Amino acid sequence: MATYLGNTASESEQQPNNNGDEDQDQDQPGRERVEVDKEYFDEIRGSLEYLIRLFNTLQINPSLAPPSPSPSDEVPLGNTEVRVPKSELQKVKKRSIKSYTEGLVDLLFTPETLRASTLKGKSSKGQLRDSLDPVKVNAIIEQVRSVFEDATVEYVEQLIRQKCNCARK
């Protein structure tokens, strides 16, 4: 067994204590003595070195990293310039106008954006909020109407408003 000067939970490294000043170590706040099996410590060090080499390899040779979607893998929503990955659009359920609209909203907006925003930037209580990106909102409306001919602009807008309201609850 080897003795190492251990750090508290807020510090992540462990440093060997080779100076023999055991009384001095006791005076350092946030430090405690930890008994560690040398073989275990060497195994952890080897694993960490491997992970560092792997990380550096991925930085040097990005071709080893998973591919990001290329622009050719993206498709436009409706007749707009808004593009989304084709594979993600295909995952959006088309059971109803409501499920399709909600899926598109989730695809284009983060939960944080939905919580902080309203469709037009006003709340029912007169408070000012951020408005959702009107270009994206228009893309959602056009896409829904291209799939569901009976979908009205007003109904899709209502569903988007409801999605924002639900995100704040």
Side-chain angles (χ1 to χ4, degrees):
M1 290 283 192
T3 303
Y4 292 90
L5 185 58
N7 298 327
T8 60
S10 65
E11 303 172 23
S12 60
E13 295 181 359
Q14 291 186 349
Q15 301 171 353
N17 178 19
N18 297 328
N19 62 9
D21 297 335
E22 297 198 16
D23 292 336
Q24 184 181 7
D25 296 339
Q26 299 298 331
D27 296 336
Q28 294 181 6
R31 305 245 182 196
E32 60 184 61
R33 294 217 156 271
V34 178
E35 293 290 321
V36 179
D37 181 31
K38 182 165 176 25
E39 289 177 17
Y40 176 73
F41 183 76
D42 290 340
E43 183 180 326
I44 296 296
R45 182 185 304 145
S47 296
L48 184 58
E49 289 170 353
Y50 169 76
L51 289 172
I52 290 170
R53 282 193 312 273
L54 180 62
F55 177 75
N56 289 336
T57 300
L58 289 175
Q59 283 186 323
I60 293 168
N61 190 352
S63 66
L64 297 176
S68 58
S70 68
S72 64
D73 293 341
E74 294 184 342
V75 295
L77 289 183
N79 291 324
T80 69
E81 296 296 317
V82 177
R83 300 180 72 79
V84 296
K86 183 177 182 177
S87 60
E88 294 298 314
L89 182 60
Q90 290 172 338
K91 292 178 189 176
V92 178
K93 295 179 177 147
K94 297 180 183 177
R95 290 183 307 220
S96 66
I97 297 171
K98 181 178 180 181
S99 66
Y100 195 57
T101 302
E102 289 176 348
L104 293 174
V105 169
D106 289 336
L107 188 60
L108 292 177
F109 298 107
T110 65
E112 294 80 21
T113 300
L114 293 173
R115 274 193 293 277
S117 306
T118 63
L119 183 66
K120 307 280 184 184
K122 299 181 212 172
S123 75
S124 62
K125 298 174 184 171
Q127 299 170 324
L128 290 178
R129 292 190 183 268
D130 293 336
S131 63
L132 293 175
D133 181 342
V135 173
K136 290 180 179 180
V137 169
N138 185 48
I140 291 171
I141 292 168
E142 285 202 27
Q143 182 65 25
V144 170
R145 295 190 72 201
S146 73
V147 173
F148 296 94
E149 293 177 5
D150 58 333
T152 64
V153 172
E154 294 79 17
Y155 182 58
V156 176
E157 286 179 345
Q158 177 187 347
L159 294 171
I160 296 171
R161 279 189 199 95
Q162 288 174 355
K163 190 76 174 161
C164 288
N165 291 338
C166 288
R168 284 191 285 280
K169 292 181 183 180

